Amino acid sequence: LGGTVLSIDQDASSVTLQMPSGEPRLFVLVDQRLLRNVAIGDHVTFELNEAAQITKLVKLPTDPAN
């Protein structure tokens, strides 16, 4: 799955992502450390567990042409 980071809540270990459909969705992370090196506006891919919590969050490289 993938999306764009709209907001980050360090205290709640959550992130709001804009999905490819344009819909914003709030996700809780299993580990706050997953938020390291991720900022608002970053394009990311992520994996969810059975409870719909993010278990893996990877920042995608930016395209230098943009």
Side-chain angles (χ1 to χ4, degrees):
L1 296 169
T4 303
V5 178
L6 295 177
S7 67
I8 297 170
D9 186 338
Q10 295 278 354
D11 295 332
S13 294
S14 67
V15 62
T16 301
L17 302 176
Q18 182 173 3
M19 306 306 290
S21 65
E23 170 190 7
R25 292 205 40 209
L26 174 71
F27 294 97
V28 175
L29 291 90
V30 295
D31 187 339
Q32 187 179 29
R33 291 177 292 182
L34 293 171
L35 293 172
R36 288 184 301 195
N37 303 317
V38 176
I40 293 171
D42 286 347
H43 297 282
V44 297
T45 61
F46 61 97
E47 295 177 8
L48 301 173
N49 63 13
E50 300 81 25
Q53 297 171 317
I54 293 179
T55 59
K56 183 176 182 181
L57 184 67
V58 178
K59 178 181 174 179
L60 296 174
T62 55
D63 183 354
N66 289 334

